[in-house]
């Protein structure tokens, strides 16, 4: 294995990005457009860009408009817009006549891959192993391993950077009661992130259970339902939430995904933020109303000739424990939260649409731990410009993407704020304003304006007695 050439040591990058998902891809695209140039390199361990490949179900759409691409809401003149992608594929007029405000997920994935194959400075097949601060050079050191086509280590390297952008994304979340089954070979318990890889096997199962009430769970339930014969669907859909609830999609409700709300949320006290986030689940964990309608329509269609579909939809259910029955079945021990009743369900396959959690970076950032500052819950403190709060002796900045829900609110994982956040990071990094950003983005005023009470002169405070003539 070989190391990094001396040239990299003598010419550090302005920015090194770790991870190439949509958010760091957005940052790379906007960094490419900065006048005068910015030396930026981004590393990703996967061999190419892929966005949730296991959930690119036919017909599934984004829950944000196509304007929420990588760059448009910060720079609509960028060459990396979704519309320019369509133009490069001679598809601009068909898209115009299609009148689709919400594009399919597969199309968004293809658009991002188009950007990733043309944008300079992206290094796929590079796994970042560690990040350190070098006080003598006043630079970050980034150790990485270059991988071959089979994912095996091929060479070691080190890059130096003035600033870091951490965009390693999230990882599938598997509830504790189901972890042993999900990790066991041959047991049909899979996370929704891997749904398409196992779809044929799942469809062959006699009985299927979907767990999770969000958009992924709804899309998978609908896809399975459409593929199963009428009267013999044999699908259970279980959810812990009290209802299969629609996502908040009113125009004023959507203003929670604006920079205005992000700034408001960041300024709230930590205990208030922690109390607020779980209560806002319907803003980002509900189901698209069109998907709910499609599910009901499909269920209704199956009653036209009498009888009911063999499908059970039950919200308000918690999975207490789970185990194997023989070698081919799974037994779920269920508890209804409101009824306080318990039951068992035997099934042949389980799909966990249980969402994602922030990917741990403790090991990656172990070299920075002495410099990191944390909140009362032990989480990283992140300032308004998406920078980790580091000891002042560290003159470089570490920016984070989609790891700041506890400080910036429900908009952290939302694609609609990607370009704005990237522009905010680049404005902070350069100390200039290559991307002028709007001062106001919402009709809602989320808090009271802080105004000091007018000072009353001392003489004006004296009361004059009232007299009658």
């Amino acid at each position: 294995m070989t190391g990094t050439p001396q040239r990299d040591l003598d010419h550090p990058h302005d920015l090194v990005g770790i991870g190439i998902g949509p958010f760091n891809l957005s940052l790379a695209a906007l960094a490419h457009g900065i006048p005068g140039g910015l030396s930026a390199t981004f590393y990703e361990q996967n061999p190419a860009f892929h966005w949730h490949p296991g959930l690119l179900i036919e017909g599934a759409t984004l829950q944000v408009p196509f304007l929420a691409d990588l760059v448009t809401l910060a720079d609509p003149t960028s060459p990396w817009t979704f519309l320019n992608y369509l133009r490069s594929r001679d598809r601009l007029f068909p898209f115009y006549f299609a009148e689709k405000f919400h594009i399919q997920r597969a199309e968004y994935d293809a658009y991002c891959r188009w950007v990733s194959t043309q944008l300079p400075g992206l290094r796929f097949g590079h796994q970042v192993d560690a990040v350190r601060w070098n006080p003598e050079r006043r630079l970050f050191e980034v150790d990485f391993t270059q991988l071959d086509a089979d994912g095996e280590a091929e060479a070691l390297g080190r890059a130096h950077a003035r600033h870091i952008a951490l965009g390693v994304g999230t990882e599938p979340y598997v509830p504790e009661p189901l972890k042993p089954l999900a990790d066991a070979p041959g047991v049909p318990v899979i996370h929704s992130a891997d749904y398409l890889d196992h779809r044929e096997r799942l469809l062959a199962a006699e009985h299927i259970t979907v767990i999770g009430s969000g958009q992924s769970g709804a899309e998978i339930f609908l896809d399975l339902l459409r593929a199963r014969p009428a009267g013999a669907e044999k699908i259970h859909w279980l959810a812990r939430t009290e209802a299969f609830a629609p996502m908040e999609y009113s125009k004023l409700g959507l203003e929670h995904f604006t920079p205005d709300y992000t700034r408001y949320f960041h300024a709230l006290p930590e205990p208030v933020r922690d109390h607020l986030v779980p209560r806002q689940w319907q803003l980002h964990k509900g189901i698209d109303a069109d998907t709910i309608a499609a599910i009901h329509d499909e269920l209704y269609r199956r009653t036209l000739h009498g009888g009911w579909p063999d499908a059970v939809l039950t919200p308000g259910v918690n999975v207490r424990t789970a185990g194997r029955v023989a070698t081919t079945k799974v037994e779920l021990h269920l508890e209804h939260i409101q009824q306080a009743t318990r039951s068992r369900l035997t099934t042949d396959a389980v799909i966990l649409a249980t969402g994602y959690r922030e990917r741990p970076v403790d090991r990656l950032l172990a070299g920075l731990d002495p410099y990191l500052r944390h909140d009362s819950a032990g989480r990283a403190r992140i300032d308004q410009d998406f920078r980790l709060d580091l000891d002042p002796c560290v003159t470089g900045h570490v920016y984070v993407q989609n790891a700041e829900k506890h400080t910036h609110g429900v908009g952290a994982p939302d694609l609609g704020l990607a370009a704005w956040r990237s522009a905010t990071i680049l404005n902070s990094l350069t100390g200039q304003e290559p991307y002028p950003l709007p001062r106001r983005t919402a009709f809602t005023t989320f808090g009271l304006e802080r105004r000091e009470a007018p000072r009353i002169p001392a003489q004006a405070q004296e009361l004059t007695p009232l007299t009658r003539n």
Side-chain angles (χ1 to χ4, degrees):
M1 297 184 184
T2 59
T4 303
Q6 183 65 33
R7 182 180 182 279
D8 182 75
L9 304 179
D10 298 333
H11 302 279
H13 303 288
D14 295 315
L15 175 67
V16 162
I18 304 172
I20 306 177
F23 296 136
N24 259 0
L25 187 59
S26 164
L27 185 64
L30 288 173
H32 178 256
I34 291 182
L38 186 72
S39 173
T41 296
F42 291 76
Y43 297 108
E44 167 60 48
Q45 66 179 5
N46 290 316
F49 182 93
H50 288 289
W51 184 69
H52 295 303
L55 282 171
L56 299 181
I57 300 170
E58 185 176 354
T61 61
L62 289 184
Q63 293 172 286
V64 291
F66 73 90
L67 290 173
D69 62 13
L70 300 173
V71 294
T72 293
L73 292 178
D75 181 13
T77 66
S78 167
W80 310 114
T81 64
F82 176 72
L83 290 179
N84 198 42
Y85 160 72
L86 292 176
R87 180 177 177 271
S88 73
R89 294 292 189 267
D90 289 332
R91 297 180 58 229
L92 199 53
F93 271 89
F95 179 75
Y96 166 59
F97 291 119
E99 297 184 341
K100 297 292 185 183
F101 201 50
H102 292 80
I103 63 175
Q104 292 193 19
R105 282 209 198 113
E107 187 167 28
Y108 178 79
D109 177 62
Y111 152 68
C112 288
R113 194 156 44 254
W114 171 76
V115 174
S116 71
T117 57
Q118 299 188 80
L119 199 63
L122 305 187
R123 303 287 181 264
F124 289 95
H126 285 66
Q127 174 185 292
V128 173
D129 304 309
V131 178
R132 293 180 301 277
W133 174 249
N134 187 324
E136 296 180 359
R137 288 180 173 269
R138 298 170 69 85
L139 294 170
F140 290 104
E141 294 178 345
V142 180
D143 291 342
F144 61 84
T145 301
Q146 186 173 341
L147 308 176
D148 62 19
D150 297 322
E152 299 296 328
E154 189 175 57
L156 299 177
R158 175 174 295 170
H160 290 77
R162 297 180 178 88
H163 306 287
I164 301 291
L166 194 62
V168 296
T170 56
E171 62 182 8
Y173 169 70
V174 177
E176 286 296 331
L178 291 154
K179 274 187 177 180
L181 294 177
D183 295 336
V187 177
V189 178
I190 62 116
H191 193 274
S192 58
D194 301 316
Y195 171 66
L196 288 183
D197 293 335
H198 298 270
R199 184 175 182 271
E200 295 306 315
R201 179 187 176 198
L202 293 166
L203 287 174
E206 183 178 354
H207 183 276
I208 309 171
T209 300
V210 180
I211 300 175
S213 63
Q215 183 69 18
S216 297
E219 290 174 352
I220 289 172
F221 176 80
L222 177 60
D223 185 61
L224 292 171
L225 182 63
R226 286 171 169 168
R228 306 282 274 190
E233 295 83 2
K234 294 187 179 181
I235 310 174
H236 265 67
W237 185 15
L238 307 175
R240 190 173 54 181
T241 55
E242 296 179 355
F244 296 106
M247 183 174 291
E248 167 59 66
Y249 208 74
S250 66
K251 288 180 171 59
L252 290 179
L254 289 176
E255 291 194 340
H256 286 84
F257 300 97
T258 59
D260 283 8
Y261 183 76
T262 301
R263 287 188 287 263
Y264 161 77
F265 184 90
H266 187 272
L268 293 173
E270 180 187 326
V272 177
R273 296 198 303 254
D274 289 345
H275 179 68
L276 193 55
V277 169
R279 294 168 54 197
Q280 296 178 323
W281 66 270
Q282 212 165 336
L283 286 169
H284 61 107
K285 291 185 178 180
I287 306 169
D288 175 73
D290 289 340
T291 306
I292 292 178
I295 290 172
H296 192 276
D297 289 347
E298 183 63 30
L299 291 169
Y300 178 73
R301 185 182 67 82
R302 291 167 182 252
T303 69
L304 295 181
H305 302 293
W308 288 71
D310 188 3
V312 179
L313 295 74
T314 309
V317 173
N318 185 41
V319 179
R320 295 173 51 248
T321 59
R324 296 177 66 169
V325 179
T327 58
T328 61
K329 294 183 181 292
V330 174
E331 185 176 81
L332 303 174
H333 297 191
L334 309 177
E335 180 178 26
H336 195 280
I337 300 169
Q338 294 177 348
Q339 287 182 327
T341 54
R342 293 183 177 182
S343 180
R344 295 182 181 183
L345 173 64
T346 300
T347 186
D348 297 283
V350 178
I351 304 164
L352 303 173
T354 47
Y356 298 79
R357 296 290 186 273
E358 291 176 5
R359 198 180 301 276
V361 293
D362 298 356
R363 184 176 178 180
L364 179 65
L365 298 183
L368 296 179
D369 193 61
Y371 305 104
L372 281 170
R373 294 179 172 177
H374 301 85
D375 63 15
S376 62
R379 299 164 301 195
R381 288 168 54 181
I382 303 169
D383 72 10
Q384 186 168 304
D385 291 336
F386 304 97
R387 298 176 295 195
L388 293 181
D389 189 355
L390 300 173
D391 188 280
C393 70
V394 180
T395 55
H397 300 308
V398 177
Y399 297 91
V400 296
Q401 304 235 51
N402 194 14
E404 73 282 3
K405 185 185 290 185
H406 63 290
T407 56
H408 288 68
V410 294
D414 190 76
L415 294 175
L417 284 174
W420 170 77
R421 177 171 52 200
S422 295
T424 300
I425 289 172
L426 291 171
N427 288 350
S428 165
L429 185 152
T430 61
Q432 302 173 8
E433 199 176 29
Y435 294 104
L437 296 173
R439 294 186 178 181
R440 183 173 181 179
T441 55
F443 291 111
T444 305
T445 302
F446 291 101
L448 296 177
E449 295 183 16
R450 297 182 179 180
R451 294 180 179 177
E452 294 184 4
R455 299 185 62 182
I456 304 175
Q459 61 271 21
Q461 299 181 33
E462 298 178 2
L463 301 179
T464 302
L466 297 175
T467 59
R468 292 184 178 178
N469 293 331

